[in-house]
Amino acid sequence: FTICTYTLPVHNLTQSTDHLTIQAGIDAALTGDEIHIDPGIYVENVLVTKGLKLVGAGVGNTTIHPAASNPNPCSGSSLCGSITAASNVIGIQASDVTVQDLTVDGDNPGLTSGIVRAGADLDARNGIITDHSLGLNFNNLEVHHVEVKNIYLRGMYASTNGTFNFHHNLVTNVQGDGYSIGMFAWYGPGTMADNTVSYANDAISANHSKGIQFLNNVVTHSGSGVHTDNSGDGGGVADVIQGNTVSDCAPGGYGIWVFVAYLPPTIDQNTVTNCSVGLSAWGQGASVNQLFTNNI
């Protein structure tokens, strides 16, 4: 006779348990657990409800597609009222979450939305997003070495006023409409460093920030490179936009800019090439002087 063994593809290293799906692994986990995901394609809308680490087998090796196609059920809202109202590939409802070493692809080849951008049929509204509809601040979100692509509205969004660190990620084709943003943050302090963003309506930005470090990012073929809006209106410290490279903007595109600052951001050692507007400052919320230094 033949003995068959079957290894489930999702492994909780902390608890030494295996699971069939990513969601099953999360549901069975305890706060602080580390979950590893084998190479393969996973069709799920994942909801992270506790602080844990989600680790894939590398960009292009572990890929998550949305199970539902619902990229644009509303206008003027990222969540459309709740975390389940639209199709989000990874929704986060906890502090102390890390996502790393995997691909989030909002184009599920088995589904059809009819919304096509750059040759991809977009099924997901958001790639990775925190659930601000709960009215809670989720802190210590870290996303690194993750690829996010083919998303309608937000590629990667820290939306709950909490702290975050987005670094060494690839984001591309986030251009569902005029409000689409590759990497975005709302209110909270944090870091966006060493990311590469391309083919986004708006590549990297923040609104009402309390001290964000935008460092050494590379942006190409996007309508807007890096900018911060209403920074410091809720306190905190001034933003820093430093060492970024923006090139080959979409027609009429802006490179690096500041809009209605309440605390004076520093814009230093950035390079902008082939954009309609290189560097700019628009308005002010308080009597501040943005510092533009050593830019090309």
Side-chain angles (χ1 to χ4, degrees), residues 16-42:
S16 298
T17 57
D18 296 327
H19 306 274
L20 181 61
T21 67
I22 300 169
Q23 192 63 57
I26 292 169
D27 292 344
L30 300 177
T31 297
D33 284 357
E34 183 168 329
I35 296 173
H36 282 227
I37 311 164
D38 284 351
I41 295 175
Y42 300 79

mmCIF file of all heavy atoms in Angstrom, residues 16-42:
data_model
loop_
_atom_site.group_PDB
_atom_site.id
_atom_site.type_symbol
_atom_site.label_atom_id
_atom_site.label_comp_id
_atom_site.label_asym_id
_atom_site.label_seq_id
_atom_site.Cartn_x
_atom_site.Cartn_y
_atom_site.Cartn_z
ATOM 1 N N SER A 16 3.086 25.766 16.001
ATOM 2 C CA SER A 16 3.377 24.500 15.313
ATOM 3 C C SER A 16 2.100 23.849 14.780
ATOM 4 O O SER A 16 1.850 22.649 14.959
ATOM 5 C CB SER A 16 4.116 23.532 16.245
ATOM 6 O OG SER A 16 5.359 24.069 16.627
ATOM 7 N N THR A 17 1.282 24.669 14.094
ATOM 8 C CA THR A 17 0.063 24.173 13.472
ATOM 9 C C THR A 17 0.052 24.542 11.999
ATOM 10 O O THR A 17 0.685 25.516 11.584
ATOM 11 C CB THR A 17 -1.189 24.758 14.152
ATOM 12 O OG1 THR A 17 -1.132 26.197 14.094
ATOM 13 C CG2 THR A 17 -1.290 24.317 15.601
ATOM 14 N N ASP A 18 -0.681 23.764 11.200
ATOM 15 C CA ASP A 18 -0.802 24.010 9.769
ATOM 16 C C ASP A 18 -2.258 24.252 9.409
ATOM 17 O O ASP A 18 -3.176 23.699 10.035
ATOM 18 C CB ASP A 18 -0.274 22.812 8.975
ATOM 19 C CG ASP A 18 1.208 22.583 9.189
ATOM 20 O OD1 ASP A 18 1.934 23.573 9.386
ATOM 21 O OD2 ASP A 18 1.638 21.410 9.163
ATOM 22 N N HIS A 19 -2.462 25.042 8.333
ATOM 23 C CA HIS A 19 -3.816 25.436 7.954
ATOM 24 C C HIS A 19 -3.934 25.468 6.433
ATOM 25 O O HIS A 19 -2.957 25.662 5.716
ATOM 26 C CB HIS A 19 -4.147 26.805 8.550
ATOM 27 C CG HIS A 19 -3.945 26.853 10.032
ATOM 28 N ND1 HIS A 19 -4.918 26.473 10.925
ATOM 29 C CD2 HIS A 19 -2.853 27.200 10.780
ATOM 30 C CE1 HIS A 19 -4.454 26.597 12.155
ATOM 31 N NE2 HIS A 19 -3.203 27.026 12.100
ATOM 32 N N LEU A 20 -5.156 25.308 5.974
ATOM 33 C CA LEU A 20 -5.406 25.249 4.530
ATOM 34 C C LEU A 20 -5.398 26.624 3.890
ATOM 35 O O LEU A 20 -4.970 26.783 2.752
ATOM 36 C CB LEU A 20 -6.752 24.559 4.270
ATOM 37 C CG LEU A 20 -7.158 24.394 2.803
ATOM 38 C CD1 LEU A 20 -6.127 23.543 2.051
ATOM 39 C CD2 LEU A 20 -8.537 23.757 2.706
ATOM 40 N N THR A 21 -5.889 27.646 4.588
ATOM 41 C CA THR A 21 -5.969 28.996 4.037
ATOM 42 C C THR A 21 -5.276 29.990 4.960
ATOM 43 O O THR A 21 -5.056 29.714 6.150
ATOM 44 C CB THR A 21 -7.430 29.439 3.850
ATOM 45 O OG1 THR A 21 -8.055 29.577 5.141
ATOM 46 C CG2 THR A 21 -8.208 28.440 3.003
ATOM 47 N N ILE A 22 -4.975 31.155 4.406
ATOM 48 C CA ILE A 22 -4.381 32.218 5.219
ATOM 49 C C ILE A 22 -5.352 32.646 6.317
ATOM 50 O O ILE A 22 -4.967 32.817 7.479
ATOM 51 C CB ILE A 22 -4.001 33.413 4.337
ATOM 52 C CG1 ILE A 22 -2.980 32.994 3.270
ATOM 53 C CG2 ILE A 22 -3.444 34.557 5.180
ATOM 54 C CD1 ILE A 22 -2.739 34.037 2.203
ATOM 55 N N GLN A 23 -6.632 32.809 5.955
ATOM 56 C CA GLN A 23 -7.608 33.251 6.937
ATOM 57 C C GLN A 23 -7.771 32.243 8.065
ATOM 58 O O GLN A 23 -7.891 32.621 9.240
ATOM 59 C CB GLN A 23 -8.955 33.517 6.267
ATOM 60 C CG GLN A 23 -9.950 34.245 7.166
ATOM 61 C CD GLN A 23 -9.452 35.631 7.547
ATOM 62 O OE1 GLN A 23 -9.162 36.460 6.695
ATOM 63 N NE2 GLN A 23 -9.330 35.887 8.843
ATOM 64 N N ALA A 24 -7.757 30.972 7.734
ATOM 65 C CA ALA A 24 -7.851 29.948 8.778
ATOM 66 C C ALA A 24 -6.664 30.031 9.731
ATOM 67 O O ALA A 24 -6.812 29.857 10.951
ATOM 68 C CB ALA A 24 -7.935 28.562 8.155
ATOM 69 N N GLY A 25 -5.489 30.304 9.183
ATOM 70 C CA GLY A 25 -4.316 30.453 10.028
ATOM 71 C C GLY A 25 -4.415 31.643 10.957
ATOM 72 O O GLY A 25 -4.039 31.577 12.132
ATOM 73 N N ILE A 26 -4.940 32.752 10.433
ATOM 74 C CA ILE A 26 -5.121 33.953 11.254
ATOM 75 C C ILE A 26 -6.166 33.709 12.336
ATOM 76 O O ILE A 26 -5.972 34.053 13.511
ATOM 77 C CB ILE A 26 -5.529 35.140 10.364
ATOM 78 C CG1 ILE A 26 -4.360 35.533 9.450
ATOM 79 C CG2 ILE A 26 -5.976 36.327 11.214
ATOM 80 C CD1 ILE A 26 -4.740 36.516 8.363
ATOM 81 N N ASP A 27 -7.280 33.099 11.961
ATOM 82 C CA ASP A 27 -8.368 32.884 12.923
ATOM 83 C C ASP A 27 -7.928 31.994 14.086
ATOM 84 O O ASP A 27 -8.375 32.181 15.228
ATOM 85 C CB ASP A 27 -9.570 32.253 12.215
ATOM 86 C CG ASP A 27 -10.231 33.199 11.225
ATOM 87 O OD1 ASP A 27 -9.973 34.419 11.300
ATOM 88 O OD2 ASP A 27 -10.989 32.712 10.359
ATOM 89 N N ALA A 28 -7.061 31.031 13.802
ATOM 90 C CA ALA A 28 -6.622 30.098 14.848
ATOM 91 C C ALA A 28 -5.431 30.616 15.651
ATOM 92 O O ALA A 28 -5.081 30.029 16.677
ATOM 93 C CB ALA A 28 -6.256 28.758 14.211
ATOM 94 N N ALA A 29 -4.833 31.705 15.199
ATOM 95 C CA ALA A 29 -3.611 32.205 15.828
ATOM 96 C C ALA A 29 -3.910 32.955 17.122
ATOM 97 O O ALA A 29 -5.034 33.395 17.386
ATOM 98 C CB ALA A 29 -2.874 33.118 14.854
ATOM 99 N N LEU A 30 -2.854 33.123 17.909
ATOM 100 C CA LEU A 30 -2.880 33.982 19.082
ATOM 101 C C LEU A 30 -2.091 35.243 18.785
ATOM 102 O O LEU A 30 -1.233 35.281 17.890
ATOM 103 C CB LEU A 30 -2.267 33.258 20.275
ATOM 104 C CG LEU A 30 -2.935 31.949 20.711
ATOM 105 C CD1 LEU A 30 -2.156 31.328 21.856
ATOM 106 C CD2 LEU A 30 -4.387 32.181 21.099
ATOM 107 N N THR A 31 -2.382 36.302 19.515
ATOM 108 C CA THR A 31 -1.645 37.554 19.346
ATOM 109 C C THR A 31 -0.150 37.308 19.513
ATOM 110 O O THR A 31 0.292 36.641 20.446
ATOM 111 C CB THR A 31 -2.123 38.587 20.374
ATOM 112 O OG1 THR A 31 -3.496 38.878 20.132
ATOM 113 C CG2 THR A 31 -1.318 39.865 20.272
ATOM 114 N N GLY A 32 0.623 37.821 18.575
ATOM 115 C CA GLY A 32 2.065 37.667 18.606
ATOM 116 C C GLY A 32 2.598 36.501 17.808
ATOM 117 O O GLY A 32 3.822 36.343 17.680
ATOM 118 N N ASP A 33 1.712 35.686 17.232
ATOM 119 C CA ASP A 33 2.158 34.523 16.462
ATOM 120 C C ASP A 33 2.779 34.935 15.129
ATOM 121 O O ASP A 33 2.503 36.025 14.594
ATOM 122 C CB ASP A 33 0.988 33.576 16.194
ATOM 123 C CG ASP A 33 0.601 32.766 17.428
ATOM 124 O OD1 ASP A 33 1.276 32.905 18.467
ATOM 125 O OD2 ASP A 33 -0.378 32.008 17.346
ATOM 126 N N GLU A 34 3.570 34.033 14.575
ATOM 127 C CA GLU A 34 4.193 34.225 13.265
ATOM 128 C C GLU A 34 3.660 33.159 12.311
ATOM 129 O O GLU A 34 3.817 31.964 12.557
ATOM 130 C CB GLU A 34 5.708 34.144 13.370
ATOM 131 C CG GLU A 34 6.423 34.417 12.060
ATOM 132 C CD GLU A 34 7.920 34.624 12.230
ATOM 133 O OE1 GLU A 34 8.337 35.124 13.300
ATOM 134 O OE2 GLU A 34 8.663 34.288 11.289
ATOM 135 N N ILE A 35 3.046 33.623 11.221
ATOM 136 C CA ILE A 35 2.421 32.727 10.251
ATOM 137 C C ILE A 35 3.203 32.804 8.944
ATOM 138 O O ILE A 35 3.417 33.892 8.398
ATOM 139 C CB ILE A 35 0.958 33.120 10.014
ATOM 140 C CG1 ILE A 35 0.157 32.945 11.306
ATOM 141 C CG2 ILE A 35 0.338 32.288 8.893
ATOM 142 C CD1 ILE A 35 -1.264 33.463 11.224
ATOM 143 N N HIS A 36 3.618 31.651 8.435
ATOM 144 C CA HIS A 36 4.346 31.580 7.169
ATOM 145 C C HIS A 36 3.454 30.945 6.104
ATOM 146 O O HIS A 36 2.738 29.976 6.380
ATOM 147 C CB HIS A 36 5.630 30.778 7.338
ATOM 148 C CG HIS A 36 6.731 31.551 7.995
ATOM 149 N ND1 HIS A 36 8.014 31.583 7.527
ATOM 150 C CD2 HIS A 36 6.712 32.361 9.082
ATOM 151 C CE1 HIS A 36 8.759 32.361 8.301
ATOM 152 N NE2 HIS A 36 7.990 32.836 9.263
ATOM 153 N N ILE A 37 3.569 31.481 4.886
ATOM 154 C CA ILE A 37 2.730 31.045 3.777
ATOM 155 C C ILE A 37 3.622 30.483 2.680
ATOM 156 O O ILE A 37 4.547 31.154 2.213
ATOM 157 C CB ILE A 37 1.897 32.221 3.222
ATOM 158 C CG1 ILE A 37 1.195 32.966 4.366
ATOM 159 C CG2 ILE A 37 0.893 31.748 2.196
ATOM 160 C CD1 ILE A 37 0.679 34.326 3.963
ATOM 161 N N ASP A 38 3.354 29.255 2.281
ATOM 162 C CA ASP A 38 4.144 28.601 1.244
ATOM 163 C C ASP A 38 4.006 29.315 -0.103
ATOM 164 O O ASP A 38 3.049 30.067 -0.334
ATOM 165 C CB ASP A 38 3.680 27.156 1.076
ATOM 166 C CG ASP A 38 4.160 26.251 2.194
ATOM 167 O OD1 ASP A 38 4.985 26.692 3.016
ATOM 168 O OD2 ASP A 38 3.690 25.098 2.255
ATOM 169 N N PRO A 39 4.928 29.045 -1.034
ATOM 170 C CA PRO A 39 4.741 29.526 -2.408
ATOM 171 C C PRO A 39 3.425 29.020 -2.988
ATOM 172 O O PRO A 39 2.994 27.896 -2.708
ATOM 173 C CB PRO A 39 5.941 28.929 -3.154
ATOM 174 C CG PRO A 39 6.971 28.694 -2.107
ATOM 175 C CD PRO A 39 6.199 28.315 -0.874
ATOM 176 N N GLY A 40 2.785 29.859 -3.778
ATOM 177 C CA GLY A 40 1.524 29.469 -4.384
ATOM 178 C C GLY A 40 0.618 30.666 -4.571
ATOM 179 O O GLY A 40 0.973 31.805 -4.237
ATOM 180 N N ILE A 41 -0.547 30.417 -5.123
ATOM 181 C CA ILE A 41 -1.563 31.445 -5.360
ATOM 182 C C ILE A 41 -2.722 31.206 -4.396
ATOM 183 O O ILE A 41 -3.263 30.096 -4.326
ATOM 184 C CB ILE A 41 -2.045 31.426 -6.809
ATOM 185 C CG1 ILE A 41 -0.888 31.807 -7.750
ATOM 186 C CG2 ILE A 41 -3.230 32.364 -7.005
ATOM 187 C CD1 ILE A 41 -1.226 31.699 -9.216
ATOM 188 N N TYR A 42 -3.091 32.235 -3.674
ATOM 189 C CA TYR A 42 -4.149 32.167 -2.674
ATOM 190 C C TYR A 42 -5.253 33.147 -3.072
ATOM 191 O O TYR A 42 -4.975 34.323 -3.334
ATOM 192 C CB TYR A 42 -3.597 32.507 -1.286
ATOM 193 C CG TYR A 42 -2.507 31.557 -0.849
ATOM 194 C CD1 TYR A 42 -1.198 31.697 -1.326
ATOM 195 C CD2 TYR A 42 -2.783 30.497 -0.001
ATOM 196 C CE1 TYR A 42 -0.198 30.818 -0.952
ATOM 197 C CE2 TYR A 42 -1.789 29.601 0.382
ATOM 198 C CZ TYR A 42 -0.507 29.767 -0.102
ATOM 199 O OH TYR A 42 0.473 28.885 0.261
#
